[in-house]
PDB file of all heavy atoms in Angstrom:
ATOM      1  N   GLU E 222      -7.512  -0.237  12.428  1.00 95.00           N
ATOM      2  CA  GLU E 222      -7.863   0.584  11.295  1.00 95.00           C
ATOM      3  C   GLU E 222      -7.248   0.136  10.032  1.00 95.00           C
ATOM      4  O   GLU E 222      -5.995   0.016   9.959  1.00 95.00           O
ATOM      5  CB  GLU E 222      -7.480   2.025  11.670  1.00 95.00           C
ATOM      6  CG  GLU E 222      -7.580   2.978  10.598  1.00 95.00           C
ATOM      7  CD  GLU E 222      -6.953   4.338  10.852  1.00 95.00           C
ATOM      8  OE1 GLU E 222      -5.966   4.321  11.529  1.00 95.00           O
ATOM      9  OE2 GLU E 222      -7.418   5.407  10.269  1.00 95.00           O
ATOM     10  N   LEU E 223      -8.040   0.056   8.913  1.00 97.00           N
ATOM     11  CA  LEU E 223      -7.367  -0.217   7.650  1.00 97.00           C
ATOM     12  C   LEU E 223      -6.605   0.941   7.255  1.00 97.00           C
ATOM     13  O   LEU E 223      -7.058   2.122   7.196  1.00 97.00           O
ATOM     14  CB  LEU E 223      -8.451  -0.500   6.586  1.00 97.00           C
ATOM     15  CG  LEU E 223      -7.939  -0.750   5.125  1.00 97.00           C
ATOM     16  CD1 LEU E 223      -7.234  -1.999   5.156  1.00 97.00           C
ATOM     17  CD2 LEU E 223      -9.209  -0.855   4.214  1.00 97.00           C
ATOM     18  N   VAL E 224      -5.380   0.681   6.845  1.00 98.00           N
ATOM     19  CA  VAL E 224      -4.461   1.726   6.447  1.00 98.00           C
ATOM     20  C   VAL E 224      -4.334   1.771   4.866  1.00 98.00           C
ATOM     21  O   VAL E 224      -4.607   2.843   4.225  1.00 98.00           O
ATOM     22  CB  VAL E 224      -3.026   1.597   6.898  1.00 98.00           C
ATOM     23  CG1 VAL E 224      -2.063   2.665   6.383  1.00 98.00           C
ATOM     24  CG2 VAL E 224      -3.026   1.594   8.401  1.00 98.00           C
ATOM     25  N   ALA E 225      -4.074   0.620   4.251  1.00 98.00           N
ATOM     26  CA  ALA E 225      -4.057   0.457   2.778  1.00 98.00           C
ATOM     27  C   ALA E 225      -4.194  -0.961   2.322  1.00 98.00           C
ATOM     28  O   ALA E 225      -3.868  -1.822   3.181  1.00 98.00           O
ATOM     29  CB  ALA E 225      -2.719   1.085   2.285  1.00 98.00           C
ATOM     30  N   ARG E 226      -4.627  -1.139   1.151  1.00 97.00           N
ATOM     31  CA  ARG E 226      -4.782  -2.426   0.572  1.00 97.00           C
ATOM     32  C   ARG E 226      -4.462  -2.388  -0.919  1.00 97.00           C
ATOM     33  O   ARG E 226      -4.659  -1.457  -1.510  1.00 97.00           O
ATOM     34  CB  ARG E 226      -6.118  -3.094   0.948  1.00 97.00           C
ATOM     35  CG  ARG E 226      -7.280  -2.222   0.316  1.00 97.00           C
ATOM     36  CD  ARG E 226      -8.501  -2.931   0.816  1.00 97.00           C
ATOM     37  NE  ARG E 226      -9.766  -2.158   0.341  1.00 97.00           N
ATOM     38  CZ  ARG E 226     -10.944  -2.291   0.770  1.00 97.00           C
ATOM     39  NH1 ARG E 226     -11.167  -3.316   1.631  1.00 97.00           N
ATOM     40  NH2 ARG E 226     -11.994  -1.711   0.230  1.00 97.00           N
ATOM     41  N   ILE E 227      -4.088  -3.582  -1.321  1.00 96.00           N
ATOM     42  CA  ILE E 227      -3.806  -3.700  -2.908  1.00 96.00           C
ATOM     43  C   ILE E 227      -4.167  -5.041  -3.292  1.00 96.00           C
ATOM     44  O   ILE E 227      -3.961  -5.948  -2.641  1.00 96.00           O
ATOM     45  CB  ILE E 227      -2.376  -3.460  -3.079  1.00 96.00           C
ATOM     46  CG1 ILE E 227      -1.974  -3.444  -4.632  1.00 96.00           C
ATOM     47  CG2 ILE E 227      -1.399  -4.407  -2.405  1.00 96.00           C
ATOM     48  CD1 ILE E 227      -0.570  -2.922  -4.940  1.00 96.00           C
ATOM     49  N   THR E 228      -4.940  -5.177  -4.378  1.00 92.00           N
ATOM     50  CA  THR E 228      -5.319  -6.338  -4.920  1.00 92.00           C
ATOM     51  C   THR E 228      -4.129  -6.993  -5.776  1.00 92.00           C
ATOM     52  O   THR E 228      -3.184  -6.291  -6.139  1.00 92.00           O
ATOM     53  CB  THR E 228      -6.583  -6.245  -5.833  1.00 92.00           C
ATOM     54  OG1 THR E 228      -6.203  -5.484  -7.099  1.00 92.00           O
ATOM     55  CG2 THR E 228      -7.671  -5.517  -5.159  1.00 92.00           C
ATOM     56  N   ARG E 229      -4.355  -8.206  -6.258  1.00 88.00           N
ATOM     57  CA  ARG E 229      -3.350  -8.876  -7.046  1.00 88.00           C
ATOM     58  C   ARG E 229      -3.168  -8.136  -8.457  1.00 88.00           C
ATOM     59  O   ARG E 229      -1.966  -8.059  -8.936  1.00 88.00           O
ATOM     60  CB  ARG E 229      -3.748 -10.349  -7.395  1.00 88.00           C
ATOM     61  CG  ARG E 229      -2.605 -11.138  -7.894  1.00 88.00           C
ATOM     62  CD  ARG E 229      -3.047 -12.592  -8.047  1.00 88.00           C
ATOM     63  NE  ARG E 229      -1.936 -13.413  -8.331  1.00 88.00           N
ATOM     64  CZ  ARG E 229      -1.050 -13.988  -7.528  1.00 88.00           C
ATOM     65  NH1 ARG E 229      -1.176 -13.688  -6.218  1.00 88.00           N
ATOM     66  NH2 ARG E 229      -0.052 -14.638  -7.962  1.00 88.00           N
ATOM     67  N   SER E 230      -4.174  -7.492  -8.969  1.00 90.00           N
ATOM     68  CA  SER E 230      -4.097  -6.746 -10.122  1.00 90.00           C
ATOM     69  C   SER E 230      -3.494  -5.318  -9.989  1.00 90.00           C
ATOM     70  O   SER E 230      -3.228  -4.620 -10.928  1.00 90.00           O
ATOM     71  CB  SER E 230      -5.445  -6.695 -10.852  1.00 90.00           C
ATOM     72  OG  SER E 230      -6.300  -5.899 -10.016  1.00 90.00           O
ATOM     73  N   GLY E 231      -3.296  -4.900  -8.728  1.00 92.00           N
ATOM     74  CA  GLY E 231      -2.698  -3.661  -8.367  1.00 92.00           C
ATOM     75  C   GLY E 231      -3.644  -2.491  -8.088  1.00 92.00           C
ATOM     76  O   GLY E 231      -3.248  -1.368  -7.841  1.00 92.00           O
ATOM     77  N   SER E 232      -4.970  -2.806  -7.918  1.00 96.00           N
ATOM     78  CA  SER E 232      -5.897  -1.752  -7.405  1.00 96.00           C
ATOM     79  C   SER E 232      -5.568  -1.478  -5.987  1.00 96.00           C
ATOM     80  O   SER E 232      -5.369  -2.378  -5.181  1.00 96.00           O
ATOM     81  CB  SER E 232      -7.291  -2.225  -7.654  1.00 96.00           C
ATOM     82  OG  SER E 232      -7.563  -2.445  -8.989  1.00 96.00           O
ATOM     83  N   THR E 233      -5.632  -0.190  -5.580  1.00 97.00           N
ATOM     84  CA  THR E 233      -5.279   0.230  -4.266  1.00 97.00           C
ATOM     85  C   THR E 233      -6.362   1.011  -3.602  1.00 97.00           C
ATOM     86  O   THR E 233      -7.190   1.746  -4.321  1.00 97.00           O
ATOM     87  CB  THR E 233      -4.019   1.061  -4.269  1.00 97.00           C
ATOM     88  OG1 THR E 233      -4.136   2.205  -5.069  1.00 97.00           O
ATOM     89  CG2 THR E 233      -2.870   0.234  -4.830  1.00 97.00           C
ATOM     90  N   ASN E 234      -6.465   1.042  -2.272  1.00 97.00           N
ATOM     91  CA  ASN E 234      -7.325   1.869  -1.463  1.00 97.00           C
ATOM     92  C   ASN E 234      -6.523   2.254  -0.283  1.00 97.00           C
ATOM     93  O   ASN E 234      -5.674   1.555   0.242  1.00 97.00           O
ATOM     94  CB  ASN E 234      -8.509   1.176  -0.921  1.00 97.00           C
ATOM     95  CG  ASN E 234      -9.545   0.715  -2.146  1.00 97.00           C
ATOM     96  OD1 ASN E 234      -9.501  -0.337  -2.683  1.00 97.00           O
ATOM     97  ND2 ASN E 234     -10.282   1.724  -2.489  1.00 97.00           N
ATOM     98  N   TYR E 235      -6.875   3.583   0.187  1.00 98.00           N
ATOM     99  CA  TYR E 235      -6.111   4.056   1.333  1.00 98.00           C
ATOM    100  C   TYR E 235      -7.146   4.745   2.338  1.00 98.00           C
ATOM    101  O   TYR E 235      -8.157   5.231   1.923  1.00 98.00           O
ATOM    102  CB  TYR E 235      -5.072   5.192   0.977  1.00 98.00           C
ATOM    103  CG  TYR E 235      -3.998   4.816   0.012  1.00 98.00           C
ATOM    104  CD1 TYR E 235      -4.175   4.790  -1.399  1.00 98.00           C
ATOM    105  CD2 TYR E 235      -2.817   4.192   0.564  1.00 98.00           C
ATOM    106  CE1 TYR E 235      -3.149   4.274  -2.167  1.00 98.00           C
ATOM    107  CE2 TYR E 235      -1.822   3.849  -0.244  1.00 98.00           C
ATOM    108  CZ  TYR E 235      -1.984   3.844  -1.681  1.00 98.00           C
ATOM    109  OH  TYR E 235      -0.912   3.474  -2.399  1.00 98.00           O
ATOM    110  N   ALA E 236      -6.795   4.745   3.571  1.00 97.00           N
ATOM    111  CA  ALA E 236      -7.496   5.512   4.640  1.00 97.00           C
ATOM    112  C   ALA E 236      -7.306   6.927   4.217  1.00 97.00           C
ATOM    113  O   ALA E 236      -6.210   7.462   3.823  1.00 97.00           O
ATOM    114  CB  ALA E 236      -6.917   5.139   5.953  1.00 97.00           C
ATOM    115  N   GLY E 237      -8.363   7.790   4.501  1.00 97.00           N
ATOM    116  CA  GLY E 237      -8.216   9.096   4.259  1.00 97.00           C
ATOM    117  C   GLY E 237      -7.051   9.873   4.887  1.00 97.00           C
ATOM    118  O   GLY E 237      -6.426  10.791   4.397  1.00 97.00           O
ATOM    119  N   SER E 238      -6.830   9.399   6.112  1.00 97.00           N
ATOM    120  CA  SER E 238      -5.744   9.942   6.958  1.00 97.00           C
ATOM    121  C   SER E 238      -4.313   9.787   6.459  1.00 97.00           C
ATOM    122  O   SER E 238      -3.345  10.465   6.704  1.00 97.00           O
ATOM    123  CB  SER E 238      -5.816   9.398   8.367  1.00 97.00           C
ATOM    124  OG  SER E 238      -5.579   8.075   8.452  1.00 97.00           O
ATOM    125  N   VAL E 239      -4.155   8.812   5.455  1.00 98.00           N
ATOM    126  CA  VAL E 239      -2.766   8.497   5.000  1.00 98.00           C
ATOM    127  C   VAL E 239      -2.750   8.745   3.430  1.00 98.00           C
ATOM    128  O   VAL E 239      -1.491   8.705   2.947  1.00 98.00           O
ATOM    129  CB  VAL E 239      -2.328   7.151   5.149  1.00 98.00           C
ATOM    130  CG1 VAL E 239      -2.481   6.808   6.721  1.00 98.00           C
ATOM    131  CG2 VAL E 239      -3.080   6.083   4.421  1.00 98.00           C
ATOM    132  N   LYS E 240      -3.775   9.115   2.869  1.00 98.00           N
ATOM    133  CA  LYS E 240      -3.818   9.307   1.452  1.00 98.00           C
ATOM    134  C   LYS E 240      -2.876  10.420   1.011  1.00 98.00           C
ATOM    135  O   LYS E 240      -2.848  11.544   1.631  1.00 98.00           O
ATOM    136  CB  LYS E 240      -5.182   9.574   0.994  1.00 98.00           C
ATOM    137  CG  LYS E 240      -5.437   9.486  -0.527  1.00 98.00           C
ATOM    138  CD  LYS E 240      -6.871   9.483  -0.983  1.00 98.00           C
ATOM    139  CE  LYS E 240      -7.680   8.363  -0.297  1.00 98.00           C
ATOM    140  NZ  LYS E 240      -9.100   8.415  -0.787  1.00 98.00           N
ATOM    141  N   GLY E 241      -1.979  10.163  -0.015  1.00 97.00           N
ATOM    142  CA  GLY E 241      -1.011  11.220  -0.357  1.00 97.00           C
ATOM    143  C   GLY E 241       0.300  11.140   0.351  1.00 97.00           C
ATOM    144  O   GLY E 241       1.274  11.783  -0.097  1.00 97.00           O
ATOM    145  N   ARG E 242       0.318  10.367   1.322  1.00 98.00           N
ATOM    146  CA  ARG E 242       1.618  10.268   2.235  1.00 98.00           C
ATOM    147  C   ARG E 242       2.111   8.837   2.226  1.00 98.00           C
ATOM    148  O   ARG E 242       3.293   8.576   2.194  1.00 98.00           O
ATOM    149  CB  ARG E 242       1.340  10.639   3.714  1.00 98.00           C
ATOM    150  CG  ARG E 242       0.913  12.068   3.920  1.00 98.00           C
ATOM    151  CD  ARG E 242       0.882  12.433   5.279  1.00 98.00           C
ATOM    152  NE  ARG E 242      -0.094  11.678   6.076  1.00 98.00           N
ATOM    153  CZ  ARG E 242       0.170  10.890   7.126  1.00 98.00           C
ATOM    154  NH1 ARG E 242       1.464  10.785   7.566  1.00 98.00           N
ATOM    155  NH2 ARG E 242      -0.740  10.257   7.749  1.00 98.00           N
ATOM    156  N   PHE E 243       1.234   7.853   2.108  1.00 98.00           N
ATOM    157  CA  PHE E 243       1.573   6.400   2.127  1.00 98.00           C
ATOM    158  C   PHE E 243       1.322   5.743   0.692  1.00 98.00           C
ATOM    159  O   PHE E 243       0.395   6.270   0.039  1.00 98.00           O
ATOM    160  CB  PHE E 243       0.695   5.682   3.126  1.00 98.00           C
ATOM    161  CG  PHE E 243       1.090   5.808   4.585  1.00 98.00           C
ATOM    162  CD1 PHE E 243       1.799   6.995   4.880  1.00 98.00           C
ATOM    163  CD2 PHE E 243       0.577   4.986   5.545  1.00 98.00           C
ATOM    164  CE1 PHE E 243       2.113   7.158   6.348  1.00 98.00           C
ATOM    165  CE2 PHE E 243       0.829   5.293   6.873  1.00 98.00           C
ATOM    166  CZ  PHE E 243       1.523   6.387   7.279  1.00 98.00           C
ATOM    167  N   THR E 244       2.225   4.947   0.307  1.00 98.00           N
ATOM    168  CA  THR E 244       2.035   4.225  -0.941  1.00 98.00           C
ATOM    169  C   THR E 244       2.208   2.748  -0.833  1.00 98.00           C
ATOM    170  O   THR E 244       3.294   2.376  -0.255  1.00 98.00           O
ATOM    171  CB  THR E 244       3.049   4.806  -1.887  1.00 98.00           C
ATOM    172  OG1 THR E 244       2.924   6.094  -2.112  1.00 98.00           O
ATOM    173  CG2 THR E 244       2.763   4.041  -3.369  1.00 98.00           C
ATOM    174  N   ILE E 245       1.159   1.965  -1.163  1.00 98.00           N
ATOM    175  CA  ILE E 245       1.297   0.465  -1.162  1.00 98.00           C
ATOM    176  C   ILE E 245       1.579  -0.035  -2.447  1.00 98.00           C
ATOM    177  O   ILE E 245       1.103   0.474  -3.498  1.00 98.00           O
ATOM    178  CB  ILE E 245      -0.036  -0.135  -0.480  1.00 98.00           C
ATOM    179  CG1 ILE E 245       0.113  -1.663  -0.216  1.00 98.00           C
ATOM    180  CG2 ILE E 245      -1.061   0.209  -1.524  1.00 98.00           C
ATOM    181  CD1 ILE E 245      -0.922  -2.220   0.616  1.00 98.00           C
ATOM    182  N   SER E 246       2.435  -1.076  -2.463  1.00 97.00           N
ATOM    183  CA  SER E 246       2.821  -1.747  -3.674  1.00 97.00           C
ATOM    184  C   SER E 246       2.993  -3.151  -3.427  1.00 97.00           C
ATOM    185  O   SER E 246       3.067  -3.667  -2.265  1.00 97.00           O
ATOM    186  CB  SER E 246       4.113  -1.069  -4.323  1.00 97.00           C
ATOM    187  OG  SER E 246       5.125  -1.176  -3.487  1.00 97.00           O
ATOM    188  N   ARG E 247       3.197  -3.964  -4.536  1.00 94.00           N
ATOM    189  CA  ARG E 247       3.434  -5.433  -4.285  1.00 94.00           C
ATOM    190  C   ARG E 247       4.282  -5.981  -5.445  1.00 94.00           C
ATOM    191  O   ARG E 247       4.150  -5.545  -6.626  1.00 94.00           O
ATOM    192  CB  ARG E 247       2.144  -6.239  -4.053  1.00 94.00           C
ATOM    193  CG  ARG E 247       1.242  -6.277  -5.219  1.00 94.00           C
ATOM    194  CD  ARG E 247      -0.089  -6.842  -4.870  1.00 94.00           C
ATOM    195  NE  ARG E 247      -0.056  -8.346  -4.664  1.00 94.00           N
ATOM    196  CZ  ARG E 247      -1.085  -9.126  -4.291  1.00 94.00           C
ATOM    197  NH1 ARG E 247      -2.252  -8.471  -3.857  1.00 94.00           N
ATOM    198  NH2 ARG E 247      -0.930 -10.403  -4.141  1.00 94.00           N
ATOM    199  N   ASP E 248       5.096  -6.947  -5.115  1.00 92.00           N
ATOM    200  CA  ASP E 248       5.852  -7.687  -6.170  1.00 92.00           C
ATOM    201  C   ASP E 248       5.342  -9.074  -6.172  1.00 92.00           C
ATOM    202  O   ASP E 248       5.735  -9.862  -5.217  1.00 92.00           O
ATOM    203  CB  ASP E 248       7.272  -7.646  -5.760  1.00 92.00           C
ATOM    204  CG  ASP E 248       8.163  -8.217  -6.771  1.00 92.00           C
ATOM    205  OD1 ASP E 248       7.716  -9.086  -7.489  1.00 92.00           O
ATOM    206  OD2 ASP E 248       9.405  -7.909  -6.871  1.00 92.00           O
ATOM    207  N   ASN E 249       4.477  -9.356  -7.100  1.00 87.00           N
ATOM    208  CA  ASN E 249       3.894 -10.814  -7.122  1.00 87.00           C
ATOM    209  C   ASN E 249       4.846 -11.874  -7.304  1.00 87.00           C
ATOM    210  O   ASN E 249       4.674 -12.978  -6.807  1.00 87.00           O
ATOM    211  CB  ASN E 249       2.820 -10.788  -8.126  1.00 87.00           C
ATOM    212  CG  ASN E 249       1.542  -9.985  -7.806  1.00 87.00           C
ATOM    213  OD1 ASN E 249       1.213  -9.766  -6.705  1.00 87.00           O
ATOM    214  ND2 ASN E 249       0.931  -9.482  -8.884  1.00 87.00           N
ATOM    215  N   ALA E 250       5.957 -11.491  -8.006  1.00 89.00           N
ATOM    216  CA  ALA E 250       7.013 -12.550  -8.098  1.00 89.00           C
ATOM    217  C   ALA E 250       7.669 -12.893  -6.833  1.00 89.00           C
ATOM    218  O   ALA E 250       8.084 -14.073  -6.640  1.00 89.00           O
ATOM    219  CB  ALA E 250       8.076 -12.077  -9.169  1.00 89.00           C
ATOM    220  N   LYS E 251       7.776 -11.952  -6.005  1.00 91.00           N
ATOM    221  CA  LYS E 251       8.379 -12.195  -4.603  1.00 91.00           C
ATOM    222  C   LYS E 251       7.380 -12.466  -3.524  1.00 91.00           C
ATOM    223  O   LYS E 251       7.662 -12.589  -2.394  1.00 91.00           O
ATOM    224  CB  LYS E 251       9.291 -10.953  -4.284  1.00 91.00           C
ATOM    225  CG  LYS E 251      10.461 -10.781  -5.131  1.00 91.00           C
ATOM    226  CD  LYS E 251      11.297  -9.637  -4.727  1.00 91.00           C
ATOM    227  CE  LYS E 251      12.507  -9.420  -5.669  1.00 91.00           C
ATOM    228  NZ  LYS E 251      13.358  -8.317  -5.126  1.00 91.00           N
ATOM    229  N   ASN E 252       6.038 -12.337  -3.912  1.00 90.00           N
ATOM    230  CA  ASN E 252       4.992 -12.527  -2.965  1.00 90.00           C
ATOM    231  C   ASN E 252       5.157 -11.634  -1.739  1.00 90.00           C
ATOM    232  O   ASN E 252       5.005 -11.947  -0.660  1.00 90.00           O
ATOM    233  CB  ASN E 252       4.951 -13.968  -2.488  1.00 90.00           C
ATOM    234  CG  ASN E 252       4.760 -14.898  -3.625  1.00 90.00           C
ATOM    235  OD1 ASN E 252       3.904 -14.907  -4.350  1.00 90.00           O
ATOM    236  ND2 ASN E 252       5.823 -15.942  -3.755  1.00 90.00           N
ATOM    237  N   THR E 253       5.503 -10.416  -2.050  1.00 94.00           N
ATOM    238  CA  THR E 253       5.864  -9.415  -1.054  1.00 94.00           C
ATOM    239  C   THR E 253       5.068  -8.190  -1.271  1.00 94.00           C
ATOM    240  O   THR E 253       4.946  -7.696  -2.463  1.00 94.00           O
ATOM    241  CB  THR E 253       7.293  -9.098  -0.924  1.00 94.00           C
ATOM    242  OG1 THR E 253       7.955 -10.391  -0.734  1.00 94.00           O
ATOM    243  CG2 THR E 253       7.671  -8.115   0.112  1.00 94.00           C
ATOM    244  N   ALA E 254       4.449  -7.522  -0.271  1.00 96.00           N
ATOM    245  CA  ALA E 254       3.858  -6.239  -0.284  1.00 96.00           C
ATOM    246  C   ALA E 254       4.692  -5.210   0.468  1.00 96.00           C
ATOM    247  O   ALA E 254       5.433  -5.602   1.412  1.00 96.00           O
ATOM    248  CB  ALA E 254       2.424  -6.206   0.283  1.00 96.00           C
ATOM    249  N   TYR E 255       4.664  -3.905   0.057  1.00 98.00           N
ATOM    250  CA  TYR E 255       5.387  -2.945   0.613  1.00 98.00           C
ATOM    251  C   TYR E 255       4.465  -1.755   1.014  1.00 98.00           C
ATOM    252  O   TYR E 255       3.563  -1.427   0.237  1.00 98.00           O
ATOM    253  CB  TYR E 255       6.490  -2.411  -0.347  1.00 98.00           C
ATOM    254  CG  TYR E 255       7.423  -3.509  -0.824  1.00 98.00           C
ATOM    255  CD1 TYR E 255       7.083  -4.083  -2.007  1.00 98.00           C
ATOM    256  CD2 TYR E 255       8.481  -3.906   0.000  1.00 98.00           C
ATOM    257  CE1 TYR E 255       8.017  -5.178  -2.508  1.00 98.00           C
ATOM    258  CE2 TYR E 255       9.313  -4.898  -0.501  1.00 98.00           C
ATOM    259  CZ  TYR E 255       9.046  -5.503  -1.738  1.00 98.00           C
ATOM    260  OH  TYR E 255       9.828  -6.591  -2.090  1.00 98.00           O
ATOM    261  N   LEU E 256       4.759  -1.074   2.112  1.00 98.00           N
ATOM    262  CA  LEU E 256       4.071   0.172   2.449  1.00 98.00           C
ATOM    263  C   LEU E 256       5.176   1.176   2.629  1.00 98.00           C
ATOM    264  O   LEU E 256       5.885   1.231   3.668  1.00 98.00           O
ATOM    265  CB  LEU E 256       3.244  -0.067   3.723  1.00 98.00           C
ATOM    266  CG  LEU E 256       2.311   1.175   4.128  1.00 98.00           C
ATOM    267  CD1 LEU E 256       1.365   1.408   3.037  1.00 98.00           C
ATOM    268  CD2 LEU E 256       1.762   0.856   5.483  1.00 98.00           C
ATOM    269  N   GLN E 257       5.188   2.205   1.822  1.00 98.00           N
ATOM    270  CA  GLN E 257       6.127   3.374   1.884  1.00 98.00           C
ATOM    271  C   GLN E 257       5.380   4.413   2.602  1.00 98.00           C
ATOM    272  O   GLN E 257       4.291   4.814   2.160  1.00 98.00           O
ATOM    273  CB  GLN E 257       6.561   3.819   0.549  1.00 98.00           C
ATOM    274  CG  GLN E 257       7.479   5.014   0.559  1.00 98.00           C
ATOM    275  CD  GLN E 257       8.806   4.710   1.273  1.00 98.00           C
ATOM    276  OE1 GLN E 257       9.440   3.598   0.928  1.00 98.00           O
ATOM    277  NE2 GLN E 257       9.264   5.585   2.066  1.00 98.00           N
ATOM    278  N   MET E 258       5.983   4.793   3.716  1.00 98.00           N
ATOM    279  CA  MET E 258       5.395   5.889   4.617  1.00 98.00           C
ATOM    280  C   MET E 258       6.152   7.072   4.633  1.00 98.00           C
ATOM    281  O   MET E 258       7.239   7.091   5.138  1.00 98.00           O
ATOM    282  CB  MET E 258       5.010   5.241   5.960  1.00 98.00           C
ATOM    283  CG  MET E 258       4.301   3.961   6.009  1.00 98.00           C
ATOM    284  SD  MET E 258       3.860   3.387   7.634  1.00 98.00           S
ATOM    285  CE  MET E 258       5.556   2.975   8.272  1.00 98.00           C
ATOM    286  N   ASN E 259       5.631   8.136   4.064  1.00 98.00           N
ATOM    287  CA  ASN E 259       6.349   9.440   3.959  1.00 98.00           C
ATOM    288  C   ASN E 259       5.661  10.429   4.913  1.00 98.00           C
ATOM    289  O   ASN E 259       4.403  10.308   5.120  1.00 98.00           O
ATOM    290  CB  ASN E 259       6.502   9.945   2.577  1.00 98.00           C
ATOM    291  CG  ASN E 259       7.272   8.967   1.705  1.00 98.00           C
ATOM    292  OD1 ASN E 259       8.215   8.302   2.214  1.00 98.00           O
ATOM    293  ND2 ASN E 259       6.937   8.888   0.400  1.00 98.00           N
ATOM    294  N   SER E 260       6.366  11.506   5.163  1.00 98.00           N
ATOM    295  CA  SER E 260       5.691  12.652   5.939  1.00 98.00           C
ATOM    296  C   SER E 260       5.001  12.108   7.170  1.00 98.00           C
ATOM    297  O   SER E 260       3.745  12.506   7.432  1.00 98.00           O
ATOM    298  CB  SER E 260       4.727  13.477   5.079  1.00 98.00           C
ATOM    299  OG  SER E 260       5.334  13.969   3.860  1.00 98.00           O
ATOM    300  N   LEU E 261       5.686  11.260   7.956  1.00 98.00           N
ATOM    301  CA  LEU E 261       4.986  10.667   9.099  1.00 98.00           C
ATOM    302  C   LEU E 261       4.661  11.658  10.155  1.00 98.00           C
ATOM    303  O   LEU E 261       5.450  12.599  10.242  1.00 98.00           O
ATOM    304  CB  LEU E 261       5.878   9.485   9.589  1.00 98.00           C
ATOM    305  CG  LEU E 261       5.862   8.260   8.776  1.00 98.00           C
ATOM    306  CD1 LEU E 261       7.195   7.398   9.035  1.00 98.00           C
ATOM    307  CD2 LEU E 261       4.601   7.525   9.008  1.00 98.00           C
TER     308      LEU E 261
END
């Protein structure tokens, strides 16, 4: 199941079940993406 995605420009999409609880971000300089999951 797709949880979240982020483009190089920073556009994001979330599954309805995690919207408002999960946050995806990325650091292009470090080539790293992060998924912060709250209210699990």
Side-chain angles (χ1 to χ4, degrees):
E222 170 194 26
L223 176 66
V224 177
R226 60 186 177 189
I227 184 168
T228 67
R229 192 172 189 85
S230 63
S232 297
T233 58
N234 292 98
Y235 297 92
S238 58
V239 308
K240 196 172 293 185
R242 300 187 297 120
F243 291 11
T244 302
I245 190 170
S246 61
R247 65 191 285 175
D248 185 334
N249 289 330
K251 294 182 178 180
N252 305 305
T253 301
Y255 305 95
L256 185 66
Q257 178 66 44
M258 304 184 292
N259 299 328
S260 302
L261 283 159

